[in-house]
Amino acid sequence: MNWRYSYSTWLVPVPMSDEGSASVQVKDMEVGLTLDLKDLGGFLKLSVPECGCYVEAISIKIDGGSSWLYQGVVGAFQGKIVSAVEEAIPQKITEEMLKLDALLQDLPNKIPVGDVASLNVTFVSDPVLSNSSIDFKVNGLFTAEDQIFASNYPHRQQTTSVTCSGANEMIKISLHENVLQSASLVYFYADYMHWLVDKIPDQALLNTAGWKYIVPQLYKQYPNDDMHLNISVSAPPLVKVTKQGIGATIYADVIIDVLDANEVIPVACISLVIDASGSAHILWNNLAGSIRVEYLSATLKWSNIGNLHMLLVQTVLSTVIKTVVVPYVNLHLMRGFPLPLPHGFALENARIRYADSGILICSNVSYKTSVLI
């Protein structure tokens, strides 16, 4: 990256004392600077290969008091003053760039997301500078705090024909669907996709009497006993992003437990395949979301109470999933996860666009010292 700054005339008044004053005029000063900003093992490294300064002339005029004496001294050393300025400015610029490099080295390499996961924000390539923008690529995948799961999930660079077209949109954040898939993987292995349902809006369905006409043999064998539904996702949900939005396929097992004389008795296991759709939202500097069930199918995995009328069972379980599990999941999804923004910057008027295999966030930004990434 190369910059060149030119100043034709600089006039700086300098008070000396009650008896005199001085003014310094710098004519035709040019400062040239070459910066090298590269990815170094996930961190940005800033260096200054070249930095120079040229000053055509410096005029120092002293008035009042013993100005005749000082003016003569200044005139005698004018050439050395120019040389000193030409040396001092590049030195000062280099010193400040080294301070900036130290700040870049201190950038966090992960952003905590609750107690279970972190967002890997190490850089994966050198920044790309154009005439009007700078492009940074970070890993962006979720990793478990113990670094066992998802740390090796493939990082994919997001390439899409969808662009940000708004006049006031200053920032574009592109997320590959693998970011969402890595979150699915981490939370699955952290055992966050398991629910024991013991309370539902229609509580009668958690008593065998409520299943009297759905599974008659269940009521006959365990009359008027309370029940639990033990729901576990059996594999990491598969997440796919298309131009139409976010989709997910979820595989789960539901074990029907009967509470008989203070004993928990598993009586049947139902396998579910759930097709869900999702939408993304911006909440402050977080990417949040929600899901809804589009289709659910159920099959009998095993049973200790004989065959079940699966169409009726599927209807009941679909109601439980939609009215109990989905609202609970959405409550957590709406908290979102933090987007990798610089400290102090906040998204404003953000909008989301979907593309094949990715999500694009287009937004204006503002600077607020109270905002944390």
Side-chain angles (χ1 to χ4, degrees):
M1 294 178 285
N2 296 280
W3 282 279
R4 181 170 297 276
Y5 303 92
S6 298
Y7 303 90
S8 58
T9 302
W10 240 12
L11 182 62
V12 181
V14 181
M16 294 181 63
S17 67
D18 293 338
E19 300 179 354
S21 64
S23 62
V24 179
Q25 185 175 22
V26 181
K27 182 180 180 182
D28 292 337
M29 182 175 74
E30 291 188 5
V31 178
L33 176 66
T34 300
L35 295 179
D36 194 7
L37 186 61
K38 289 188 175 182
D39 166 44
L40 186 63
F43 293 89
L44 291 180
K45 177 64 178 177
L46 179 65
S47 60
V48 187
E50 294 179 337
C51 184
C53 176
Y54 168 76
V55 178
E56 180 175 323
I58 296 179
S59 174
I60 302 176
K61 184 177 181 181
I62 302 174
D63 297 312
S66 302
S67 59
W68 60 272
L69 176 60
Y70 296 128
Q71 194 70 57
V73 173
V74 168
F77 289 94
Q78 186 168 0
K80 291 186 177 181
I81 293 174
V82 170
S83 298
V85 170
E86 290 177 334
E87 292 177 5
I89 289 180
Q91 182 179 350
K92 187 62 178 177
I93 290 175
T94 302
E95 290 175 359
E96 296 303 316
M97 290 300 104
L98 290 175
K99 293 178 182 179
L100 179 56
D101 176 61
L103 292 176
L104 292 175
Q105 298 300 310
D106 287 337
L107 288 176
N109 58 8
K110 64 179 182 179
I111 301 175
V113 183
D115 298 327
V116 176
S118 294
L119 197 64
N120 184 340
V121 290
T122 55
F123 293 90
V124 296
S125 64
D126 295 341
V128 178
L129 183 69
S130 70
N131 291 333
S132 59
S133 66
I134 185 167
D135 184 11
F136 298 98
K137 289 184 173 65
V138 299
N139 180 284
L141 299 179
F142 281 75
T143 58
E145 283 300 305
D146 55 15
Q147 294 294 312
I148 295 176
F149 301 110
S151 58
N152 294 321
Y153 202 88
H155 166 79
R156 300 282 180 85
Q157 292 189 5
Q158 178 67 21
T159 56
T160 173
S161 58
V162 177
T163 60
C164 297
S165 56
N168 295 323
E169 292 170 340
M170 301 168 61
I171 189 170
K172 178 179 79 171
I173 303 174
S174 181
L175 289 88
H176 194 275
E177 64 186 21
N178 282 358
V179 174
L180 306 181
Q181 190 64 53
S182 67
S184 166
L185 195 66
V186 167
Y187 283 96
F188 172 79
Y189 284 110
D191 201 25
Y192 266 63
M193 299 183 183
H194 175 87
W195 302 274
L196 184 65
V197 179
D198 57 4
K199 292 182 180 180
I200 58 176
D202 187 0
Q203 193 65 21
L205 287 175
L206 289 182
N207 187 282
T208 56
W211 291 65
K212 184 175 182 179
Y213 301 106
I214 302 172
V215 186
Q217 64 270 33
L218 174 63
Y219 175 74
K220 183 177 181 180
Q221 191 169 344
Y222 303 99
N224 294 313
D225 281 340
D226 289 332
M227 301 165 54
H228 286 168
L229 298 179
N230 198 332
I231 304 174
S232 298
V233 174
S234 55
L238 302 176
V239 182
K240 185 69 177 176
V241 181
T242 66
K243 293 180 180 179
Q244 286 69 46
I246 304 170
T249 302
I250 305 163
Y251 300 91
D253 290 335
V254 180
I255 297 177
I256 301 174
D257 293 329
V258 173
L259 281 64
D260 184 53
N262 296 323
E263 182 182 359
V264 179
I265 303 173
V267 296
C269 180
I270 314 298
S271 291
L272 304 180
V273 179
I274 303 169
D275 290 329
S277 62
S279 58
H281 318 279
I282 298 297
L283 183 64
W284 302 106
N285 281 353
N286 285 11
L287 180 65
S290 61
I291 64 169
R292 58 177 291 175
V293 174
E294 298 294 341
Y295 179 74
L296 181 150
S297 64
T299 57
L300 182 62
K301 192 170 185 178
W302 56 261
S303 171
N304 295 328
I305 53 174
N307 291 328
L308 309 183
H309 194 307
M310 289 310 301
L311 184 59
L312 295 177
V313 173
Q314 177 176 300
T315 301
V316 172
L317 293 181
S318 178
T319 300
V320 172
I321 295 296
K322 292 178 180 179
T323 60
V324 179
V325 177
V326 169
Y328 177 82
V329 171
N330 283 340
L331 183 65
H332 289 270
L333 290 178
M334 281 306 297
R335 298 175 184 173
F337 64 87
L339 294 167
L341 291 171
H343 172 71
F345 285 88
L347 298 179
E348 285 191 350
N349 302 319
R351 61 191 183 99
I352 292 175
R353 304 187 68 183
Y354 299 105
D356 289 333
S357 301
I359 299 172
L360 186 66
I361 302 167
C362 307
S363 179
N364 196 358
V365 293
S366 62
Y367 182 75
K368 299 177 182 178
T369 54
S370 60
V371 176
L372 299 176
I373 61 173

